């Protein structure tokens, strides 16, 4: 529960993006905002962790950074500029359902009726919080909103599936993704919006907050949660973002909250809690690769039998079955011993004799 609560801080922080953008940042610069939100934070995390990707993690980091940061940020702002904020938020609220669907084939998580109910109630609750009767629909904006939700859902599930390289923490993984996404956004922002305007002290304060608290810290918490929780469970926490935005708008911007919005908040919070209970935990696979272990969507069990006892003392060797547990590094010597039918730990004849007497 502590991990769930800590991970929930990320979407709660993301709920402040609207207020910061409207009050502290220059207008009509969505791609510049997305770039300055991602790239500086990513470069700082690279400098702090002093870790770069290696091997397949170069392209994996590029894929995850594109989905979670580059494409998601760009489509998010396209939807926000072409749609009323409430419509964009409702489209984003379908992300838990998309993530739950992708987690079935990619992670082996279950997608039952409870998860479907939680996702549907969550979308309805968010709609009550943010939608207005005067909201209009724009085809490009709707497609951008749906595609953005899909990109974030796919990025969340792939982040869970690929995990992290051995010895690499979530802070370094966050830096890789933010840098990759920021580098993707940089030329797009330059081509579409041109040179950045002169920035005031207020603008710099807003960009600093978005880069540090809203992005670097929030995404570190988010990716840490993905590594410890089912992907579906993490995705349902995203419903807290529009609720947080409504509360911040009421507290900081003087916006009103009516009974319908309060009902929507209650439904969104309830669906978030139901989503935690309905998320199916993926099984665990131990894969022997150069003495390391990794997790995957299919559970396996391995059986190791003890060697036959001397003829003078014939005892039935118990069979030890290793059930699916969170993966941990397995020494190569122990794996080789299991495959060859030898004991993984050597015991002296004297110790074996004492063991036989105690067993009798």
């Amino acid at each position: 529960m502590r991990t769930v609560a800590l991970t929930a801080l990320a979407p709660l922080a993301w709920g402040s993006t609207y207020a910061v953008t409207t009050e502290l940042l220059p207008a009509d610069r969505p791609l510049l905002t997305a770039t300055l939100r991602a790239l500086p934070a990513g470069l700082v995390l690279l400098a702090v962790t002093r870790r770069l990707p290696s091997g397949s993690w170069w392209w994996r980091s590029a894929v995850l950074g594109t989905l979670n940061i580059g494409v998601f940020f760009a489509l998010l702002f396209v939807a926000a500029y072409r749609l009323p904020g409430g419509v964009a938020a409702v489209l984003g609220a379908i992300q838990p359902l998309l993530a739950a669907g992708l987690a079935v084939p990619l992670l082996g998580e279950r997608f039952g009726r409870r998860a479907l109910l939680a996702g549907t109630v969550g979308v309805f609750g968010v709609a009550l919080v943010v939608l207005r009767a005067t909201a209009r629909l724009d085809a490009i904006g709707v497609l951008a909103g749906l595609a953005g939700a899909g990109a974030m859902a796919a990025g969340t599930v792939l982040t869970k599936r690929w995990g992290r390289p051995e010895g690499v923490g979530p802070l370094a993984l966050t830096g890789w993704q933010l840098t990759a996404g920021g580098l993707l956004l940089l030329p797009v922002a330059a081509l579409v919006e041109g040179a950045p305007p002169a920035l005031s002290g207020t603008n710099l304060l807003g960009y600093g907050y978005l880069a540090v608290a809203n992005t670097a810290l929030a995404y570190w918490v988010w990716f840490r949660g993905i590594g410890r929780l089912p992907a579906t469970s993490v995705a349902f926490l995203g419903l807290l973002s529009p609720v947080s935005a409504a509360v911040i708008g009421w507290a900081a911007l003087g916006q009103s909250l009516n009974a319908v919005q309060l009902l929507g908040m209650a439904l969104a919070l309830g669906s978030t809690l139901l989503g935690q209970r309905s998320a199916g935990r993926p099984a665990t696979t131990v894969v022997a690769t150069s003495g390391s272990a990794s997790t995957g969507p299919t559970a396996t069990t391995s059986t190791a039998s003890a060697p036959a006892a001397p003829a003078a003392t014939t005892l039935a060797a118990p069979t030890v079955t290793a059930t699916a547990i969170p993966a941990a590094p397995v020494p190569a010597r122990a794996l080789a011993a299991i495959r060859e039918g030898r004991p993984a730990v050597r015991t002296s004849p004297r110790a074996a004799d004492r063991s036989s007497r105690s067993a009798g």
Side-chain angles (χ1 to χ4, degrees):
M1 184 58 68
R2 181 181 301 177
T3 301
V4 173
L6 182 60
T7 307
L9 294 178
L12 290 175
W14 295 335
S16 66
T17 303
Y18 175 78
V20 172
T21 301
T22 56
E23 299 300 315
L24 302 179
L25 302 184
D28 301 326
R29 293 287 180 161
L31 295 178
L32 173 65
T33 298
T35 304
L36 293 181
R37 182 182 173 187
L39 188 55
L43 294 176
V44 168
L45 292 184
L46 288 182
V48 170
T49 58
R50 298 183 180 181
R51 293 294 300 266
L52 291 175
S54 60
S56 63
W57 275 98
W58 281 107
W59 68 265
R60 288 184 177 185
S61 299
V63 171
L64 294 178
T66 298
L67 292 172
N68 287 323
I69 308 299
V71 171
F72 173 67
F73 279 9
L75 293 176
L76 175 69
F77 282 113
V78 170
Y81 268 74
R82 299 186 70 97
L83 295 171
V87 177
V90 172
L91 293 175
I94 71 169
Q95 180 199 328
L97 291 173
L98 298 177
L102 290 173
V104 174
L106 294 179
L107 300 177
E109 294 184 8
R110 297 182 298 275
F111 185 26
R113 287 176 294 180
R114 183 180 293 180
L116 178 61
L117 174 63
T120 305
V121 171
V123 173
F124 182 66
V126 170
L128 292 181
V129 173
V130 298
L131 278 185
R132 300 292 181 269
T134 57
R136 297 184 189 177
L137 297 182
D138 173 83
I140 295 177
V142 170
L143 290 176
L146 293 174
M152 188 65 172
T156 298
V157 173
L158 285 179
T159 301
K160 178 67 177 181
R161 179 178 176 85
W162 289 339
R164 300 192 304 270
E166 184 177 356
V168 174
L171 199 63
L173 182 66
T174 303
W176 298 349
Q177 295 191 47
L178 289 175
T179 302
L183 290 175
L184 175 67
L185 287 166
L186 183 61
V188 177
L191 289 173
V192 175
E193 297 178 352
L199 300 178
S200 65
T202 301
N203 299 153
L204 294 175
L205 178 64
Y207 283 127
Y209 168 79
L210 288 182
V212 176
N214 195 273
T215 303
L217 294 178
Y219 272 96
W220 166 63
V221 168
W222 185 253
F223 292 137
R224 176 184 177 273
I226 292 175
R228 301 188 179 196
L229 299 169
T232 304
S233 173
V234 177
F236 269 101
L237 294 176
L239 295 173
L240 297 176
S241 183
V243 174
S244 172
V247 173
I248 292 173
W250 167 75
L253 305 180
Q255 298 174 354
S256 61
L257 285 177
N258 55 38
V260 173
Q261 289 176 296
L262 294 176
L263 174 61
M265 288 183 184
L267 291 176
L269 292 174
S271 65
T272 301
L273 295 176
L274 183 60
Q276 306 311 302
R277 299 185 60 184
S278 63
R281 297 191 176 275
T284 303
T285 303
V286 177
V287 181
T289 307
S290 302
S292 63
S294 61
T295 58
T298 306
T300 61
T301 58
S302 59
T303 303
S305 299
T313 308
T314 303
L315 297 174
T319 299
V320 181
T321 303
T323 56
I325 58 175
V330 180
R333 183 188 303 173
L335 289 172
I338 293 173
R339 287 195 296 266
E340 297 173 9
R342 297 184 285 103
V345 179
R346 295 182 181 274
T347 52
S348 64
R350 182 176 301 174
D353 183 61
R354 287 198 303 267
S355 176
S356 298
R357 289 198 300 271
S358 63

